[in-house]
């Protein structure tokens, strides 16, 4: 501001020094505005102003292209003042138009308006010069606002007096995009200038592992570059943070691997970040042509408000990473502060799991599966519970992922199998022949070591393979590879019965219905709850049940909590039901007493008894 006041003062003094001599050398008859403007002294004075302002504007400009354009504007202005010809006027208007394009490219909003107005004024004054023979010196006046406005444009310099060095330019990576350090510096400078609401958005590409494995890393890099180009096409808005790279402006940064980041302001569009995420994800889903191969990949995105975590860039990156990892089923995952609390709780659980005592802290509860035909118990499912010292009894769904992260999945599966065999042996001693269902939660059942362990436990406890029913989540069957299919077939060959848990809740699973070779299928809770659109809903669920009946697979409706739901399951011709209507999960310590009480209260006529009286 002080420099601008000094500049105004110099111009004012120069005007006085110019006007007074001009008036003293001019008679009253010769005095006119046209004469003053076209006098040699006036031309020299305006030439000095153009040179001075252009030099100051060039020194203040950050971009190399802007400096070239300002130099051309100054040269054109001097050419007009020197009356070198009409070509200077045409060149001046052309350079003004190029200046508008450059201002729009780098997103300088106010400067665009000034350049546009100056270009219009210069064009009109040029037309006036050719049609009405007005003085061409008026055209030079249109340049002065551009030079002056350059003094007020915020530049990404760290200090106003700092020279432009190579290390002021954003760092780049192999894709030619800014890297983590480059966007961090641009972000800090951007937030210092723009304090409004903004979102930091991360995009994670998926599906590259198979490309790198089958086609090679060079094809993967080419596919990554094509994906980045598609994303860049959707980030042309001026509300997306610019990142300076020499003479170019980028709006997308590459963090490395499959992660990309950009920042967008919400000053003009409240949901711009969501709109851009949706566009990028949709464009990524379109097939790529790489090396004459048609390749499909996918993308997920997360975002966080730039005011979170005190606006620290690295902490914001942690937030978007956390949002992606905490919401694996969401295509677009907004960050929530609860995720930080959940992560801290998970870290605490992982520390406790490092010293967990399976025998003293883990317990098996049970819940029966009741046949719809005669009301007898088909089998009893064993449910894992953790007697947490601080949080009380935790269901397996609360900590099973932590078990996997801690590397305890296989030891835990072996512990559950052994405990189930002990319970089955205890039931046999009491004269109760009752199969036990064990939920193994996923891929740990497909290890060779685990299957050999199951075989050994059955022999040691003198159990029949049919005494054990292994339940596993439906998602596991949607991603079975050839080895997994072989392991499942081996379990069935041993005589161990299999059950798919949560069936029908994943759309991908429905496409694999005919390929599943299991003994039981549990319909997910969402399918066993009667829907308001009863006719269509019931027809869809009935179709699923009938298809499984054709496959000689017994269908179990889980989550049954009312007589209405039980009636719904029976009308579907489902084989059995399970839920709170019969009993809530109970400790296995009282299992024998509960089973005897159930049998006494629900006698089964003309059916083989599950109790052997000695």
């Amino acid at each position: 501001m002080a420099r601008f006041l000094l500049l105004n003062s110099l111009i004012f003094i120069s005007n006085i020094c110019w006007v007074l001599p001009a008036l003293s050398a001019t008679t009253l008859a010769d005095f006119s505005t046209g004469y003053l403007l076209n006098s040699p002294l006036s031309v020299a004075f305006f030439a000095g102003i153009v040179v001075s302002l252009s030099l100051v504007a060039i020194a203040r400009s950050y971009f190399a292209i802007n400096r070239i354009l300002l130099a051309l504007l100054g040269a054109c202005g001097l050419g007009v003042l020197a009356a070198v010809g009409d070509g200077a006027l045409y060149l001046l208007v052309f350079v003004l138009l190029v200046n508008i394009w450059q201002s729009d490219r780098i997103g300088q909003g106010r400067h665009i308006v000034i350049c546009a107005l100056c270009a219009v004024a210069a064009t009109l004054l040029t037309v006036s010069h050719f049609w009405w023979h007005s003085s061409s010196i008026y055209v030079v006046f249109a340049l002065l606002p551009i030079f002056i406005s350059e003094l007020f444009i915020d530049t990404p310099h760290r200090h106003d007096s700092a020279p432009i060095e190579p290390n002021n330019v954003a760092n780049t990576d192999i894709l030619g995009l800014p890297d983590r350090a480059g966007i961090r510096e641009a972000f800090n400078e951007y937030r210092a200038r723009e304090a409004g609401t903004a979102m930091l958005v991360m995009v994670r590409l998926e599906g590259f592992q198979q490309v790198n494995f089958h086609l090679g890393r060079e094809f993967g890099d080419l596919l990554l570059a094509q994906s980045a180009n598609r994303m860049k096409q959707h980030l042309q808005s001026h509300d997306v943070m610019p990142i300076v790279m020499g003479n170019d402006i980028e709006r997308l940064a590459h963090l490395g691997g499959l992660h990309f980041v950009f920042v967008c302001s919400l000053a003009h569009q409240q949901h711009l970040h969501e709109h851009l995420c949706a566009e990028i994800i949709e464009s990524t889903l379109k097939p790529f042509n790489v090396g004459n191969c048609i390749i499909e990949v996918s993308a997920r995105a997360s975002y966080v408000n730039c005011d979170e975590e005190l606006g620290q860039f690295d902490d914001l990156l942690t937030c978007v990473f956390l949002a992606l990892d905490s919401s694996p089923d969401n295509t677009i995952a907004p960050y929530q502060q609860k995720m930080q609390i959940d992560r801290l709780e998970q870290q605490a659980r992982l520390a406790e799991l490092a010293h967990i005592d399976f025998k003293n802290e883990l317990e098996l509860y049970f819940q029966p599966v009741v046949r719809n035909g005669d009301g007898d118990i088909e089998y009893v499912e064993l449910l894992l519970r953790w007697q947490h010292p601080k949080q009380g009894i935790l269901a397996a769904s609360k900590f099973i992922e932590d078990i996997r992260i801690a590397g305890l999945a296989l030891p835990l599966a072996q512990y559950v199998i052994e405990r189930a065999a002990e319970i089955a042996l205890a039931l046999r001693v009491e004269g109760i022949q009752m199969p036990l269902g064990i939920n193994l939660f996923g891929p740990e059942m497909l290890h060779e070591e685990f299957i050999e362990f199951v075989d050994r436990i059955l022999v040691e406890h003198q159990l029949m393979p049919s005494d054990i029913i292994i339940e596993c989540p439906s998602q596991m069957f949607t991603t079975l590879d050839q080895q997994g299919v072989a392991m499942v077939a081996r379990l069935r060959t041993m005589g161990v019965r299999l059950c798919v848990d949560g069936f029908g809740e994943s759309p991908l699973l429905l496409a694999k219905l005919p390929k599943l070779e299991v003994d039981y299928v549990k319909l997910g809770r969402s399918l066993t709850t009667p829907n308001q659109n009863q006719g269509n809903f019931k027809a869809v669920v009935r179709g699923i049940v009938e298809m499984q009946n054709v496959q000689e697979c017994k269908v179990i409706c889980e989550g049954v909590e009312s007589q209405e739901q039980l009636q719904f399951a029976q009308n579907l011709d489902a084989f059995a039901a399970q839920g709170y209507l019969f009993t809530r999960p109970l400790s296995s310590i009282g299992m024998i007493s509960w089973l005897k009480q159930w049998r006494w209260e629900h006698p089964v006529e003309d059916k083989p008894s599950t109790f052997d009286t000695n």
Side-chain angles (χ1 to χ4, degrees), residues 2 27 46 89 121 126 139 142 151 186 298 360 392 431 452 459 541 551 572 597:
T27 63
F46 286 116
L89 290 171
T126 301
V139 181
L151 303 177
S298 60
N360 294 325
E452 292 179 355
V459 173
V541 181
Q551 299 288 325
L572 292 174
Q597 180 70 19

Side-chain angles (χ1 to χ4, degrees), residues 415-458:
Y415 167 76
V416 172
I417 286 288
E418 190 166 12
R419 284 285 296 120
E422 294 172 356
I423 294 174
L425 187 59
L427 291 174
R428 179 176 294 180
V429 171
E430 291 293 329
I432 303 175
Q433 186 69 29
M434 179 66 62
L436 299 178
I438 305 163
N439 200 326
L440 297 181
F441 308 106
E444 61 270 13
M445 65 171 287
L446 303 182
H447 287 275
E448 180 78 21
E449 182 182 354
F450 171 73
I451 295 178
E452 292 179 355
F453 180 81
V454 172
D455 193 18
R456 179 168 60 84
I457 289 297
L458 292 175

Side-chain angles (χ1 to χ4, degrees), residues 166-187:
N167 58 5
N168 290 111
V169 182
N171 300 322
T172 61
D173 68 345
I174 58 174
L175 297 179
L177 295 175
D179 60 7
R180 183 188 295 255
I183 189 174
R184 181 192 295 111
E185 183 176 354
F187 175 82

Side-chain angles (χ1 to χ4, degrees), residues 43 46-47 50 71-83 88 92 136-137 139-140 143 147:
V43 172
F46 286 116
V50 170
L72 288 175
L73 286 175
C76 292
L78 293 177
V80 172
L81 291 172
L92 177 62
S136 61
I137 198 172
V139 181
V140 180
L143 301 180
F147 295 141

